[in-house]
PDB file of all heavy atoms in Angstrom:
ATOM      1  N   ARG A  92      12.834  23.072  -2.075  1.00 97.00           N
ATOM      2  CA  ARG A  92      13.318  21.869  -1.384  1.00 97.00           C
ATOM      3  C   ARG A  92      12.482  21.638  -0.132  1.00 97.00           C
ATOM      4  O   ARG A  92      12.048  22.575   0.527  1.00 97.00           O
ATOM      5  CB  ARG A  92      14.780  22.105  -0.960  1.00 97.00           C
ATOM      6  CG  ARG A  92      15.747  22.416  -2.022  1.00 97.00           C
ATOM      7  CD  ARG A  92      17.187  22.463  -1.509  1.00 97.00           C
ATOM      8  NE  ARG A  92      17.390  23.378  -0.414  1.00 97.00           N
ATOM      9  CZ  ARG A  92      18.411  24.239  -0.303  1.00 97.00           C
ATOM     10  NH1 ARG A  92      19.325  24.270  -1.262  1.00 97.00           N
ATOM     11  NH2 ARG A  92      18.519  25.007   0.727  1.00 97.00           N
ATOM     12  N   TRP A  93      12.230  20.364   0.122  1.00 98.00           N
ATOM     13  CA  TRP A  93      11.613  20.035   1.403  1.00 98.00           C
ATOM     14  C   TRP A  93      12.640  20.145   2.528  1.00 98.00           C
ATOM     15  O   TRP A  93      13.794  19.752   2.391  1.00 98.00           O
ATOM     16  CB  TRP A  93      11.098  18.598   1.363  1.00 98.00           C
ATOM     17  CG  TRP A  93       9.711  18.457   0.877  1.00 98.00           C
ATOM     18  CD1 TRP A  93       8.917  19.432   0.306  1.00 98.00           C
ATOM     19  CD2 TRP A  93       8.939  17.264   0.830  1.00 98.00           C
ATOM     20  NE1 TRP A  93       7.681  18.926  -0.032  1.00 98.00           N
ATOM     21  CE2 TRP A  93       7.684  17.596   0.298  1.00 98.00           C
ATOM     22  CE3 TRP A  93       9.199  15.972   1.241  1.00 98.00           C
ATOM     23  CZ2 TRP A  93       6.684  16.647   0.104  1.00 98.00           C
ATOM     24  CZ3 TRP A  93       8.191  14.999   1.070  1.00 98.00           C
ATOM     25  CH2 TRP A  93       6.938  15.325   0.530  1.00 98.00           C
ATOM     26  N   GLU A  94      12.216  20.670   3.645  1.00 98.00           N
ATOM     27  CA  GLU A  94      13.038  20.752   4.824  1.00 98.00           C
ATOM     28  C   GLU A  94      13.297  19.341   5.369  1.00 98.00           C
ATOM     29  O   GLU A  94      12.352  18.492   5.420  1.00 98.00           O
ATOM     30  CB  GLU A  94      12.377  21.610   5.890  1.00 98.00           C
ATOM     31  CG  GLU A  94      13.082  21.695   7.222  1.00 98.00           C
ATOM     32  CD  GLU A  94      14.339  22.573   7.160  1.00 98.00           C
ATOM     33  OE1 GLU A  94      14.554  23.263   6.166  1.00 98.00           O
ATOM     34  OE2 GLU A  94      15.058  22.581   8.160  1.00 98.00           O
ATOM     35  N   VAL A  95      14.501  19.071   5.802  1.00 98.00           N
ATOM     36  CA  VAL A  95      14.782  17.807   6.444  1.00 98.00           C
ATOM     37  C   VAL A  95      13.902  17.593   7.656  1.00 98.00           C
ATOM     38  O   VAL A  95      13.762  18.523   8.494  1.00 98.00           O
ATOM     39  CB  VAL A  95      16.291  17.737   6.839  1.00 98.00           C
ATOM     40  CG1 VAL A  95      16.588  16.451   7.613  1.00 98.00           C
ATOM     41  CG2 VAL A  95      17.181  17.851   5.630  1.00 98.00           C
ATOM     42  N   GLY A  96      13.286  16.452   7.808  1.00 98.00           N
ATOM     43  CA  GLY A  96      12.418  16.145   8.946  1.00 98.00           C
ATOM     44  C   GLY A  96      10.973  16.507   8.723  1.00 98.00           C
ATOM     45  O   GLY A  96      10.156  16.314   9.614  1.00 98.00           O
ATOM     46  N   ARG A  97      10.685  17.020   7.506  1.00 98.00           N
ATOM     47  CA  ARG A  97       9.274  17.410   7.220  1.00 98.00           C
ATOM     48  C   ARG A  97       8.296  16.268   7.443  1.00 98.00           C
ATOM     49  O   ARG A  97       7.291  16.380   8.106  1.00 98.00           O
ATOM     50  CB  ARG A  97       9.182  17.929   5.774  1.00 98.00           C
ATOM     51  CG  ARG A  97       7.805  18.321   5.336  1.00 98.00           C
ATOM     52  CD  ARG A  97       7.691  18.288   3.804  1.00 98.00           C
ATOM     53  NE  ARG A  97       6.525  18.970   3.308  1.00 98.00           N
ATOM     54  CZ  ARG A  97       5.313  18.443   3.257  1.00 98.00           C
ATOM     55  NH1 ARG A  97       5.077  17.224   3.769  1.00 98.00           N
ATOM     56  NH2 ARG A  97       4.284  19.118   2.777  1.00 98.00           N
ATOM     57  N   MET A  98       8.546  15.127   6.801  1.00 98.00           N
ATOM     58  CA  MET A  98       7.622  14.020   6.827  1.00 98.00           C
ATOM     59  C   MET A  98       7.624  13.329   8.214  1.00 98.00           C
ATOM     60  O   MET A  98       6.612  12.758   8.618  1.00 98.00           O
ATOM     61  CB  MET A  98       7.977  13.009   5.727  1.00 98.00           C
ATOM     62  CG  MET A  98       7.772  13.567   4.339  1.00 98.00           C
ATOM     63  SD  MET A  98       6.172  14.300   4.070  1.00 98.00           S
ATOM     64  CE  MET A  98       5.136  12.865   3.981  1.00 98.00           C
ATOM     65  N   ARG A  99       8.754  13.359   8.897  1.00 98.00           N
ATOM     66  CA  ARG A  99       8.765  12.815  10.245  1.00 98.00           C
ATOM     67  C   ARG A  99       7.831  13.563  11.155  1.00 98.00           C
ATOM     68  O   ARG A  99       7.097  12.997  11.970  1.00 98.00           O
ATOM     69  CB  ARG A  99      10.190  12.852  10.802  1.00 98.00           C
ATOM     70  CG  ARG A  99      10.316  12.215  12.163  1.00 98.00           C
ATOM     71  CD  ARG A  99      11.792  12.049  12.595  1.00 98.00           C
ATOM     72  NE  ARG A  99      12.500  13.328  12.586  1.00 98.00           N
ATOM     73  CZ  ARG A  99      13.482  13.660  11.748  1.00 98.00           C
ATOM     74  NH1 ARG A  99      13.801  12.835  10.783  1.00 98.00           N
ATOM     75  NH2 ARG A  99      14.055  14.801  11.861  1.00 98.00           N
ATOM     76  N   ASP A 100       7.847  14.918  11.027  1.00 98.00           N
ATOM     77  CA  ASP A 100       6.934  15.740  11.821  1.00 98.00           C
ATOM     78  C   ASP A 100       5.484  15.455  11.452  1.00 98.00           C
ATOM     79  O   ASP A 100       4.610  15.302  12.313  1.00 98.00           O
ATOM     80  CB  ASP A 100       7.225  17.230  11.614  1.00 98.00           C
ATOM     81  CG  ASP A 100       6.418  18.104  12.522  1.00 98.00           C
ATOM     82  OD1 ASP A 100       6.662  18.101  13.749  1.00 98.00           O
ATOM     83  OD2 ASP A 100       5.490  18.808  12.035  1.00 98.00           O
ATOM     84  N   PHE A 101       5.215  15.282  10.167  1.00 98.00           N
ATOM     85  CA  PHE A 101       3.855  14.983   9.709  1.00 98.00           C
ATOM     86  C   PHE A 101       3.376  13.666  10.337  1.00 98.00           C
ATOM     87  O   PHE A 101       2.237  13.585  10.816  1.00 98.00           O
ATOM     88  CB  PHE A 101       3.832  14.870   8.180  1.00 98.00           C
ATOM     89  CG  PHE A 101       2.509  14.319   7.672  1.00 98.00           C
ATOM     90  CD1 PHE A 101       1.395  15.138   7.529  1.00 98.00           C
ATOM     91  CD2 PHE A 101       2.427  12.951   7.379  1.00 98.00           C
ATOM     92  CE1 PHE A 101       0.194  14.565   7.077  1.00 98.00           C
ATOM     93  CE2 PHE A 101       1.223  12.411   6.921  1.00 98.00           C
ATOM     94  CZ  PHE A 101       0.118  13.226   6.774  1.00 98.00           C
ATOM     95  N   GLU A 102       4.233  12.647  10.312  1.00 98.00           N
ATOM     96  CA  GLU A 102       3.816  11.370  10.848  1.00 98.00           C
ATOM     97  C   GLU A 102       3.574  11.434  12.358  1.00 98.00           C
ATOM     98  O   GLU A 102       2.665  10.761  12.860  1.00 98.00           O
ATOM     99  CB  GLU A 102       4.885  10.312  10.556  1.00 98.00           C
ATOM    100  CG  GLU A 102       5.026   9.951   9.065  1.00 98.00           C
ATOM    101  CD  GLU A 102       3.809   9.202   8.523  1.00 98.00           C
ATOM    102  OE1 GLU A 102       2.888   8.899   9.275  1.00 98.00           O
ATOM    103  OE2 GLU A 102       3.786   8.926   7.324  1.00 98.00           O
ATOM    104  N   ASP A 103       4.335  12.213  13.069  1.00 98.00           N
ATOM    105  CA  ASP A 103       4.114  12.399  14.479  1.00 98.00           C
ATOM    106  C   ASP A 103       2.734  13.031  14.735  1.00 98.00           C
ATOM    107  O   ASP A 103       2.036  12.660  15.694  1.00 98.00           O
ATOM    108  CB  ASP A 103       5.203  13.277  15.111  1.00 98.00           C
ATOM    109  CG  ASP A 103       6.538  12.599  15.202  1.00 98.00           C
ATOM    110  OD1 ASP A 103       6.583  11.361  15.079  1.00 98.00           O
ATOM    111  OD2 ASP A 103       7.584  13.278  15.379  1.00 98.00           O
ATOM    112  N   ILE A 104       2.368  13.999  13.893  1.00 98.00           N
ATOM    113  CA  ILE A 104       1.071  14.669  14.035  1.00 98.00           C
ATOM    114  C   ILE A 104      -0.061  13.719  13.781  1.00 98.00           C
ATOM    115  O   ILE A 104      -1.044  13.642  14.484  1.00 98.00           O
ATOM    116  CB  ILE A 104       0.986  15.888  13.109  1.00 98.00           C
ATOM    117  CG1 ILE A 104       1.952  16.977  13.561  1.00 98.00           C
ATOM    118  CG2 ILE A 104      -0.430  16.438  13.004  1.00 98.00           C
ATOM    119  CD1 ILE A 104       2.214  18.067  12.554  1.00 98.00           C
ATOM    120  N   ILE A 105       0.058  12.907  12.692  1.00 98.00           N
ATOM    121  CA  ILE A 105      -1.015  12.013  12.351  1.00 98.00           C
ATOM    122  C   ILE A 105      -1.124  10.883  13.361  1.00 98.00           C
ATOM    123  O   ILE A 105      -2.260  10.384  13.646  1.00 98.00           O
ATOM    124  CB  ILE A 105      -0.752  11.417  10.930  1.00 98.00           C
ATOM    125  CG1 ILE A 105      -0.943  12.499   9.833  1.00 98.00           C
ATOM    126  CG2 ILE A 105      -1.657  10.236  10.622  1.00 98.00           C
ATOM    127  CD1 ILE A 105      -2.340  13.063   9.814  1.00 98.00           C
ATOM    128  N   LYS A 106      -0.004  10.471  13.927  1.00 98.00           N
ATOM    129  CA  LYS A 106      -0.069   9.443  14.973  1.00 98.00           C
ATOM    130  C   LYS A 106      -0.871   9.935  16.172  1.00 98.00           C
ATOM    131  O   LYS A 106      -1.618   9.191  16.804  1.00 98.00           O
ATOM    132  CB  LYS A 106       1.368   9.054  15.388  1.00 98.00           C
ATOM    133  CG  LYS A 106       1.401   7.929  16.417  1.00 98.00           C
ATOM    134  CD  LYS A 106       2.863   7.549  16.720  1.00 98.00           C
ATOM    135  CE  LYS A 106       2.909   6.457  17.702  1.00 98.00           C
ATOM    136  NZ  LYS A 106       4.294   6.048  18.048  1.00 98.00           N
TER     137      LYS A 106
END
Side-chain angles (χ1 to χ4, degrees):
R92 303 185 305 224
W93 271 6
E94 175 75 8
V95 175
R97 178 202 194 280
M98 296 308 287
R99 182 170 59 249
D100 185 69
F101 169 82
E102 292 292 357
D103 289 343
I104 291 168
I105 291 299
K106 183 177 181 180

